[in-house]
Amino acid sequence: MALLSKDQITAADDRAWEDVDVPEWGGTVRVLGMSGTERNAYQASLVVLGPNGNVQRMNMADQLAKLVAKSLVDENFERLYSDKEVKELGRKNGAVLERIGAVAQRLSGLRKEDVEAAAGKSEPSPSDGSTTG
């Protein structure tokens, strides 16, 4: 397989999305997997750093609404909720947010198994290449 160029990588449409039925809200929502930048911002919003730069504590306030807000989009893939509107979204049914959040986690690679695989804690996959010489 040929190596990709910078232009090919930049042009690739690689963000997965899924429409999810939400009967409690009377329709369907579109959930878009977060970009790397959005995912990093979401994860950073969940920690509070101390004066020494170490993690002081986890900030779980509205963590589910933050995730869903970053992932709900309209038909043009524009976010429905801004970061400033997280509390508004957080007032919705927690079970519905959990269901949508599970899709957002899967599409964004945030599930425990996704994180472990990225960290190399899962079974190694076969590779054509070798880094040993």
Side-chain angles (χ1 to χ4, degrees):
M1 183 176 279
L3 293 177
L4 295 170
S5 70
K6 175 182 165 183
D7 289 340
Q8 289 172 309
I9 294 168
T10 302
D13 183 10
D14 63 351
R15 291 179 62 193
W17 57 273
E18 188 173 312
D19 290 344
V20 178
D21 289 330
V22 185
E24 299 89 340
W25 294 351
T28 301
V29 297
R30 180 160 290 167
V31 181
L32 176 65
M34 288 184 277
S35 70
T37 300
E38 291 166 337
R39 184 176 132 163
N40 289 344
Y42 166 71
Q43 291 173 318
S45 76
L46 300 180
V47 295
V48 176
L49 298 178
N52 61 359
N54 291 334
V55 175
Q56 187 176 24
R57 65 180 170 83
M58 296 301 294
N59 176 18
M60 300 310 285
D62 289 319
Q63 64 88 19
L64 187 54
K66 288 177 188 177
L67 172 65
V68 173
K70 287 194 178 295
S71 301
L72 284 181
V73 296
D74 65 16
E75 62 275 355
N76 297 314
F77 296 93
E78 298 294 326
R79 277 182 60 182
L80 295 178
Y81 288 88
S82 71
D83 291 341
K84 293 180 180 181
E85 297 170 313
V86 166
K87 288 206 179 292
E88 178 182 346
L89 184 60
R91 289 192 283 271
K92 302 307 296 174
N93 181 318
V96 172
L97 293 176
E98 183 69 36
R99 193 166 67 242
I100 296 168
V103 174
Q105 286 179 324
R106 178 172 45 79
L107 295 175
S108 300
L110 287 170
R111 296 177 306 174
K112 181 181 177 183
E113 55 267 33
D114 300 326
V115 173
E116 287 176 351
K121 294 181 181 175
S122 63
E123 290 295 316
S125 60
S127 175
D128 296 1
S130 173
T131 57
T132 60

